[in-house]
Amino acid sequence: MDDVMDESRACAPGPTGDNRPIGVFDSGLGGLTVARSIATALTHESIYYVGDTKRCPYGPRTEHEVRSFALQAGRWLEAHDVKIIVIACNTATAAALSVAQQTLNVPVIGVIAPGARAAINTTRTRKVGVLATELTVRSGAYTRAIQNLDAGVDVYGCPAPSFVDIVERELATGAHLQERWLESGDIFDTPDIRAEVARTLTPIADTEVDTVVLGCTHFPLLAGPIRHALGAGVRVVSSAEETTRELTDILQRRGQLAAEGVEPQHRFATTSDNLAAFAAAGSFIFGQPLKSIEHVDLPELERLYRR
Ligand code: DGL
Protein backbone atom coordinates (compact mmCIF):
# COMPACT_ATOMS: atom_id res chain seq x y z
CA MET A 1 0.00 0.00 0.00
CA ASP A 2 2.78 2.39 0.92
CA ASP A 3 4.49 1.71 -2.39
CA VAL A 4 1.30 2.54 -4.29
CA MET A 5 0.92 5.79 -2.41
CA ASP A 6 4.55 6.70 -3.15
CA GLU A 7 3.93 6.02 -6.85
CA SER A 8 0.97 8.38 -6.87
CA ARG A 9 3.05 11.06 -5.18
CA ALA A 10 5.62 10.66 -7.94
CA CYS A 11 2.82 11.71 -10.37
CA ALA A 12 2.18 15.00 -8.54
CA PRO A 13 1.55 18.04 -10.76
CA GLY A 14 4.52 19.13 -12.83
CA PRO A 15 5.53 22.74 -13.47
CA THR A 16 2.70 24.86 -14.86
CA GLY A 17 2.88 27.03 -17.92
CA ASP A 18 1.16 25.49 -20.95
CA ASN A 19 -0.46 28.58 -22.39
CA ARG A 20 -2.06 26.87 -25.37
CA PRO A 21 -5.84 27.21 -25.48
CA ILE A 22 -8.47 24.79 -24.22
CA GLY A 23 -10.60 23.64 -27.17
CA VAL A 24 -14.35 23.70 -26.53
CA PHE A 25 -16.92 22.39 -28.99
CA ASP A 26 -20.71 22.40 -29.31
CA SER A 27 -23.33 22.11 -32.03
CA GLY A 28 -24.05 25.84 -31.61
CA LEU A 29 -24.20 28.38 -28.83
CA GLY A 30 -25.11 26.14 -25.87
CA GLY A 31 -21.54 25.08 -25.12
CA LEU A 32 -20.79 28.68 -24.25
CA THR A 33 -22.55 27.98 -20.93
CA VAL A 34 -19.68 25.57 -20.21
CA ALA A 35 -17.04 27.89 -21.72
CA ARG A 36 -18.26 30.63 -19.40
CA SER A 37 -17.85 28.42 -16.35
CA ILE A 38 -14.30 27.52 -17.49
CA ALA A 39 -13.36 31.16 -18.15
CA THR A 40 -14.75 32.21 -14.76
CA ALA A 41 -12.86 29.54 -12.80
CA LEU A 42 -9.62 29.41 -14.79
CA THR A 43 -8.86 33.06 -15.33
CA HIS A 44 -5.49 32.55 -17.06
CA GLU A 45 -6.72 29.99 -19.56
CA SER A 46 -7.48 30.84 -23.17
CA ILE A 47 -10.44 29.15 -24.84
CA TYR A 48 -10.78 28.25 -28.51
CA TYR A 49 -14.50 27.65 -29.09
CA VAL A 50 -16.13 26.05 -32.13
CA GLY A 51 -19.91 26.20 -32.60
CA ASP A 52 -21.26 24.14 -35.49
CA THR A 53 -24.29 26.43 -35.83
CA LYS A 54 -24.97 25.58 -39.46
CA ARG A 55 -25.58 21.90 -38.65
CA CYS A 56 -27.40 22.56 -35.34
CA PRO A 57 -29.43 20.85 -33.92
CA TYR A 58 -27.60 17.55 -33.47
CA GLY A 59 -30.31 15.97 -31.30
CA PRO A 60 -32.56 14.67 -34.12
CA ARG A 61 -29.60 13.27 -36.14
CA THR A 62 -28.18 9.77 -36.13
CA GLU A 63 -25.38 8.77 -33.80
CA HIS A 64 -23.21 8.03 -36.81
CA GLU A 65 -23.64 11.52 -38.22
CA VAL A 66 -23.02 13.30 -34.91
CA ARG A 67 -19.91 11.16 -34.34
CA SER A 68 -18.44 12.33 -37.64
CA PHE A 69 -19.27 16.00 -36.91
CA ALA A 70 -17.62 15.72 -33.48
CA LEU A 71 -14.49 14.15 -34.97
CA GLN A 72 -14.30 16.91 -37.58
CA ALA A 73 -14.48 19.59 -34.89
CA GLY A 74 -11.98 17.66 -32.75
CA ARG A 75 -9.49 17.44 -35.60
CA TRP A 76 -9.98 21.12 -36.41
CA LEU A 77 -9.24 22.08 -32.80
CA GLU A 78 -6.30 19.70 -32.67
CA ALA A 79 -4.89 21.34 -35.83
CA HIS A 80 -5.20 24.68 -34.02
CA ASP A 81 -2.90 23.43 -31.27
CA VAL A 82 -5.25 23.15 -28.32
CA LYS A 83 -3.92 21.30 -25.25
CA ILE A 84 -7.19 19.52 -24.39
CA ILE A 85 -10.70 19.34 -25.85
CA VAL A 86 -13.96 19.68 -23.98
CA ILE A 87 -16.95 18.33 -25.89
CA ALA A 88 -19.40 20.84 -24.41
CA CYS A 89 -22.34 19.07 -26.02
CA ASN A 90 -24.11 16.14 -24.38
CA THR A 91 -25.34 14.81 -27.72
CA ALA A 92 -21.82 14.74 -29.19
CA THR A 93 -20.48 13.33 -25.91
CA ALA A 94 -23.03 10.49 -26.09
CA ALA A 95 -22.20 9.77 -29.73
CA ALA A 96 -18.47 10.36 -29.87
CA LEU A 97 -16.58 10.69 -26.59
CA SER A 98 -14.81 7.36 -26.57
CA VAL A 99 -13.99 7.38 -30.28
CA ALA A 100 -12.68 10.96 -29.99
CA GLN A 101 -10.50 9.91 -27.05
CA GLN A 102 -9.12 7.03 -29.12
CA THR A 103 -8.70 9.02 -32.34
CA LEU A 104 -7.41 12.43 -31.30
CA ASN A 105 -3.92 13.11 -30.02
CA VAL A 106 -4.97 15.36 -27.15
CA PRO A 107 -7.03 14.43 -24.09
CA VAL A 108 -10.77 14.79 -24.59
CA ILE A 109 -13.44 15.12 -21.92
CA GLY A 110 -17.22 15.27 -22.22
CA VAL A 111 -20.07 16.64 -20.15
CA ILE A 112 -22.11 13.54 -19.32
CA ALA A 113 -19.97 12.03 -16.54
CA PRO A 114 -19.75 15.48 -14.84
CA GLY A 115 -23.53 15.93 -15.23
CA ALA A 116 -24.08 12.52 -13.68
CA ARG A 117 -21.84 13.45 -10.73
CA ALA A 118 -23.76 16.72 -10.24
CA ALA A 119 -27.02 14.74 -10.14
CA ILE A 120 -25.70 12.11 -7.72
CA ASN A 121 -24.31 14.77 -5.41
CA THR A 122 -27.71 16.46 -5.30
CA THR A 123 -30.37 13.75 -5.12
CA ARG A 124 -31.63 12.53 -1.76
CA THR A 125 -34.48 10.33 -3.01
CA ARG A 126 -32.22 8.59 -5.60
CA LYS A 127 -34.71 9.41 -8.34
CA VAL A 128 -33.23 11.59 -11.06
CA GLY A 129 -34.71 13.08 -14.22
CA VAL A 130 -32.55 13.69 -17.28
CA LEU A 131 -33.75 16.37 -19.65
CA ALA A 132 -31.87 16.06 -22.92
CA THR A 133 -32.02 15.81 -26.70
CA GLU A 134 -33.60 12.78 -28.35
CA LEU A 135 -30.22 11.29 -29.27
CA THR A 136 -28.81 11.72 -25.75
CA VAL A 137 -31.86 10.11 -24.12
CA ARG A 138 -31.96 7.31 -26.71
CA SER A 139 -28.24 6.55 -26.21
CA GLY A 140 -28.80 5.72 -22.53
CA ALA A 141 -25.47 7.42 -21.78
CA TYR A 142 -26.82 9.35 -18.77
CA THR A 143 -28.46 6.30 -17.25
CA ARG A 144 -25.18 4.38 -17.54
CA ALA A 145 -23.12 7.28 -16.14
CA ILE A 146 -25.48 7.81 -13.18
CA GLN A 147 -25.85 4.12 -12.39
CA ASN A 148 -22.07 3.63 -12.63
CA LEU A 149 -21.92 5.96 -9.64
CA ASP A 150 -24.92 4.50 -7.82
CA ALA A 151 -26.67 1.49 -9.36
CA GLY A 152 -29.69 2.05 -7.09
CA VAL A 153 -30.68 5.38 -8.61
CA ASP A 154 -33.80 5.42 -10.80
CA VAL A 155 -33.23 7.51 -13.92
CA TYR A 156 -36.09 9.00 -15.93
CA GLY A 157 -35.04 10.24 -19.36
CA CYS A 158 -37.14 13.01 -20.87
CA PRO A 159 -36.46 14.05 -24.47
CA ALA A 160 -36.96 17.74 -25.18
CA PRO A 161 -36.87 17.92 -28.98
CA SER A 162 -37.93 21.58 -29.28
CA PHE A 163 -35.66 23.21 -26.67
CA VAL A 164 -32.47 23.62 -28.72
CA ASP A 165 -34.46 25.28 -31.50
CA ILE A 166 -36.17 27.60 -29.02
CA VAL A 167 -32.81 28.75 -27.68
CA GLU A 168 -31.07 29.10 -31.05
CA ARG A 169 -34.11 30.83 -32.63
CA GLU A 170 -34.49 33.26 -29.75
CA LEU A 171 -30.78 34.06 -29.79
CA ALA A 172 -30.69 34.46 -33.58
CA THR A 173 -32.39 37.83 -33.12
CA GLY A 174 -28.85 38.93 -32.25
CA ALA A 175 -28.83 42.68 -32.48
CA HIS A 176 -31.28 43.62 -29.72
CA LEU A 177 -30.43 40.79 -27.39
CA GLN A 178 -28.51 42.79 -24.81
CA GLU A 179 -31.22 45.45 -24.49
CA ARG A 180 -34.02 42.91 -24.35
CA TRP A 181 -32.17 40.98 -21.67
CA LEU A 182 -31.71 44.14 -19.60
CA GLU A 183 -35.39 45.04 -20.02
CA SER A 184 -36.98 41.70 -19.23
CA GLY A 185 -34.38 39.91 -17.09
CA ASP A 186 -34.93 36.60 -18.86
CA ILE A 187 -35.71 36.58 -22.57
CA PHE A 188 -36.67 32.91 -22.37
CA ASP A 189 -39.24 33.24 -19.62
CA THR A 190 -42.26 34.06 -21.77
CA PRO A 191 -45.79 32.55 -21.56
CA ASP A 192 -45.28 30.62 -24.83
CA ILE A 193 -41.99 29.11 -23.73
CA ARG A 194 -43.36 28.31 -20.26
CA ALA A 195 -46.24 26.43 -21.88
CA GLU A 196 -43.96 24.46 -24.24
CA VAL A 197 -41.54 23.63 -21.39
CA ALA A 198 -44.38 22.50 -19.10
CA ARG A 199 -45.79 20.27 -21.87
CA THR A 200 -42.41 18.69 -22.52
CA LEU A 201 -41.71 18.08 -18.83
CA THR A 202 -45.01 16.33 -18.09
CA PRO A 203 -43.47 12.80 -18.08
CA ILE A 204 -40.96 13.68 -15.37
CA ALA A 205 -43.24 16.04 -13.45
CA ASP A 206 -45.40 12.93 -12.82
CA THR A 207 -42.51 10.97 -11.26
CA GLU A 208 -41.00 11.44 -7.80
CA VAL A 209 -37.67 12.83 -8.93
CA ASP A 210 -36.09 15.37 -6.60
CA THR A 211 -33.32 16.29 -9.07
CA VAL A 212 -33.33 17.04 -12.77
CA VAL A 213 -30.07 17.25 -14.65
CA LEU A 214 -29.99 19.51 -17.68
CA GLY A 215 -28.46 17.02 -20.10
CA CYS A 216 -27.99 19.55 -22.87
CA THR A 217 -25.73 22.58 -22.66
CA HIS A 218 -28.39 24.78 -24.28
CA PHE A 219 -30.85 24.10 -21.47
CA PRO A 220 -29.35 26.27 -18.69
CA LEU A 221 -30.70 29.16 -20.77
CA LEU A 222 -34.20 27.77 -20.16
CA ALA A 223 -33.60 27.26 -16.43
CA GLY A 224 -36.28 29.83 -15.50
CA PRO A 225 -39.22 28.13 -17.25
CA ILE A 226 -37.85 24.66 -16.35
CA ARG A 227 -37.74 25.53 -12.62
CA HIS A 228 -41.19 27.04 -12.90
CA ALA A 229 -42.60 23.84 -14.46
CA LEU A 230 -40.94 21.50 -11.93
CA GLY A 231 -41.71 23.50 -8.80
CA ALA A 232 -39.58 24.30 -5.77
CA GLY A 233 -39.26 20.68 -4.60
CA VAL A 234 -37.06 19.67 -7.52
CA ARG A 235 -33.42 20.73 -7.80
CA VAL A 236 -32.17 21.57 -11.28
CA VAL A 237 -28.47 20.94 -11.93
CA SER A 238 -26.21 21.24 -14.96
CA SER A 239 -22.81 19.84 -15.85
CA ALA A 240 -20.86 23.09 -16.34
CA GLU A 241 -19.26 23.41 -12.90
CA GLU A 242 -18.43 19.70 -12.55
CA THR A 243 -16.92 19.74 -16.05
CA THR A 244 -14.75 22.70 -15.08
CA ARG A 245 -13.61 20.85 -11.94
CA GLU A 246 -12.70 17.76 -13.97
CA LEU A 247 -10.85 19.90 -16.52
CA THR A 248 -8.92 21.70 -13.79
CA ASP A 249 -7.89 18.39 -12.17
CA ILE A 250 -6.64 17.01 -15.49
CA LEU A 251 -4.65 20.12 -16.40
CA GLN A 252 -3.20 20.25 -12.90
CA ARG A 253 -2.21 16.57 -12.97
CA ARG A 254 -0.62 16.95 -16.40
CA GLY A 255 1.20 20.15 -15.38
CA GLN A 256 -0.64 21.98 -18.15
CA LEU A 257 -2.31 24.90 -16.41
CA ALA A 258 -1.48 28.25 -18.02
CA ALA A 259 1.13 30.31 -16.22
CA GLU A 260 -0.09 32.69 -13.53
CA GLY A 261 -0.54 36.22 -14.82
CA VAL A 262 -1.19 35.23 -18.44
CA GLU A 263 -3.87 37.35 -20.08
CA PRO A 264 -6.33 34.93 -21.76
CA GLN A 265 -6.93 35.28 -25.50
CA HIS A 266 -10.30 33.71 -26.26
CA ARG A 267 -11.13 32.86 -29.86
CA PHE A 268 -14.42 31.74 -31.36
CA ALA A 269 -15.24 30.00 -34.60
CA THR A 270 -18.58 29.09 -36.11
CA THR A 271 -19.92 27.40 -39.21
CA SER A 272 -22.68 30.05 -39.27
CA ASP A 273 -22.58 32.64 -42.06
CA ASN A 274 -23.93 35.29 -39.71
CA LEU A 275 -20.94 36.21 -37.56
CA ALA A 276 -22.67 39.33 -36.18
CA ALA A 277 -25.58 37.30 -34.76
CA PHE A 278 -23.19 34.70 -33.34
CA ALA A 279 -21.17 37.51 -31.72
CA ALA A 280 -24.23 39.16 -30.15
CA ALA A 281 -25.77 35.93 -28.87
CA GLY A 282 -22.41 34.49 -27.87
CA SER A 283 -21.37 37.57 -25.89
CA PHE A 284 -24.62 37.35 -24.00
CA ILE A 285 -24.12 33.69 -23.04
CA PHE A 286 -20.35 33.90 -22.48
CA GLY A 287 -20.80 36.98 -20.29
CA GLN A 288 -18.15 39.03 -22.07
CA PRO A 289 -17.73 40.33 -25.61
CA LEU A 290 -16.62 37.76 -28.19
CA LYS A 291 -13.81 39.80 -29.69
CA SER A 292 -12.28 37.35 -32.11
CA ILE A 293 -14.73 35.41 -34.31
CA GLU A 294 -13.97 33.53 -37.48
CA HIS A 295 -16.02 31.56 -39.96
CA VAL A 296 -15.26 27.88 -40.59
CA ASP A 297 -16.34 26.45 -43.95
CA LEU A 298 -18.15 23.12 -43.78
CA PRO A 299 -16.05 21.69 -46.67
CA GLU A 300 -12.96 22.54 -44.61
CA LEU A 301 -14.36 20.57 -41.66
CA GLU A 302 -15.59 17.71 -43.84
CA ARG A 303 -12.13 17.26 -45.34
CA LEU A 304 -10.82 16.49 -41.84
CA TYR A 305 -12.99 13.43 -41.34
CA ARG A 306 -15.19 11.53 -43.77
CA ARG A 307 -17.48 8.90 -42.42
N1 DGL B 1 -25.82 21.62 -26.66
C1 DGL B 1 -26.11 20.36 -27.28
C2 DGL B 1 -26.19 19.28 -26.18
O1 DGL B 1 -25.64 19.49 -25.11
C3 DGL B 1 -27.30 20.55 -28.15
C4 DGL B 1 -27.58 19.43 -29.05
C5 DGL B 1 -28.26 19.77 -30.34
O2 DGL B 1 -27.67 20.46 -31.16
O3 DGL B 1 -29.38 19.25 -30.54
O4 DGL B 1 -26.75 18.22 -26.35
Side-chain angles (χ1 to χ4, degrees):
M1 187 63 186
D2 274 346
D3 283 345
V4 173
M5 291 184 75
D6 284 342
E7 280 291 317
S8 72
R9 270 187 222 117
C11 295
T16 59
D18 185 339
N19 299 333
R20 290 178 301 158
I22 295 165
V24 180
F25 158 66
D26 179 50
S27 63
L29 292 159
L32 287 167
T33 57
V34 179
R36 180 178 183 148
S37 162
I38 296 170
T40 305
L42 298 173
T43 52
H44 306 301
E45 299 293 340
S46 299
I47 291 171
Y48 207 147
Y49 184 91
V50 187
D52 190 6
T53 311
K54 201 164 210 166
R55 297 186 292 194
C56 186
Y58 281 6
R61 295 178 183 274
T62 66
E63 208 163 313
H64 193 62
E65 200 171 22
V66 173
R67 188 175 306 134
S68 70
F69 294 172
L71 287 175
Q72 289 165 6
R75 287 205 167 139
W76 191 90
L77 284 167
E78 193 178 57
H80 286 78
D81 200 26
V82 298
K83 59 186 169 187
I84 188 166
I85 293 173
V86 180
I87 304 182
C89 172
N90 293 265
T91 313
T93 300
L97 177 62
S98 51
V99 68
Q101 288 171 330
Q102 289 161 34
T103 309
L104 301 174
N105 292 314
V106 291
V108 183
I109 65 170
V111 282
I112 291 183
R117 274 199 302 281
I120 286 292
N121 290 337
T122 307
T123 183
R124 297 288 169 265
T125 59
R126 296 166 88 209
K127 294 187 191 306
V128 170
V130 176
L131 193 56
T133 66
E134 296 139 287
L135 195 160
T136 303
V137 172
R138 197 173 62 235
S139 75
Y142 257 102
T143 306
R144 283 193 296 279
I146 291 172
Q147 291 181 342
N148 277 344
L149 297 170
D150 181 347
V153 172
D154 293 326
V155 182
Y156 302 86
C158 180
S162 60
F163 286 12
V164 171
D165 272 344
I166 290 176
V167 169
E168 293 276 338
R169 192 182 58 230
E170 210 59 40
L171 292 175
T173 55
H176 302 297
L177 210 54
Q178 303 290 353
E179 297 100 272
R180 281 183 54 204
W181 180 264
L182 290 176
E183 270 165 30
S184 69
D186 185 346
I187 57 170
F188 296 104
D189 203 355
T190 64
D192 283 355
I193 296 177
R194 274 195 185 195
E196 171 61 14
V197 167
R199 218 178 1 256
T200 306
L201 264 57
T202 311
I204 40 175
D206 288 345
T207 65
E208 288 172 357
V209 299
D210 70 342
T211 301
V212 167
V213 57
L214 302 181
C216 173
T217 54
H218 281 71
F219 296 179
L221 293 154
L222 296 177
I226 290 170
R227 287 205 170 90
H228 183 264
L230 291 170
V234 179
R235 304 272 302 274
V236 176
V237 298
S238 79
S239 53
E241 276 71 38
E242 275 294 329
T243 303
T244 300
R245 261 192 284 280
E246 183 175 326
L247 172 69
T248 309
D249 283 353
I250 293 172
L251 292 178
Q252 213 152 29
R253 265 201 314 275
R254 294 172 58 88
Q256 281 189 305
L257 283 167
E260 293 280 324
V262 166
E263 196 59 41
Q265 309 288 330
H266 303 311
R267 296 174 67 180
F268 304 85
T270 174
T271 51
S272 165
D273 295 320
N274 190 344
L275 294 189
F278 189 87
S283 305
F284 156 72
I285 303 174
F286 192 56
Q288 49 180 292
L290 306 194
K291 290 187 193 131
S292 161
I293 306 192
E294 66 205 276
H295 174 75
V296 189
D297 272 329
L298 283 185
E300 182 190 341
L301 277 183
E302 283 158 3
R303 263 196 305 279
L304 296 174
Y305 181 79
R306 288 193 197 283
R307 56 201 164 103

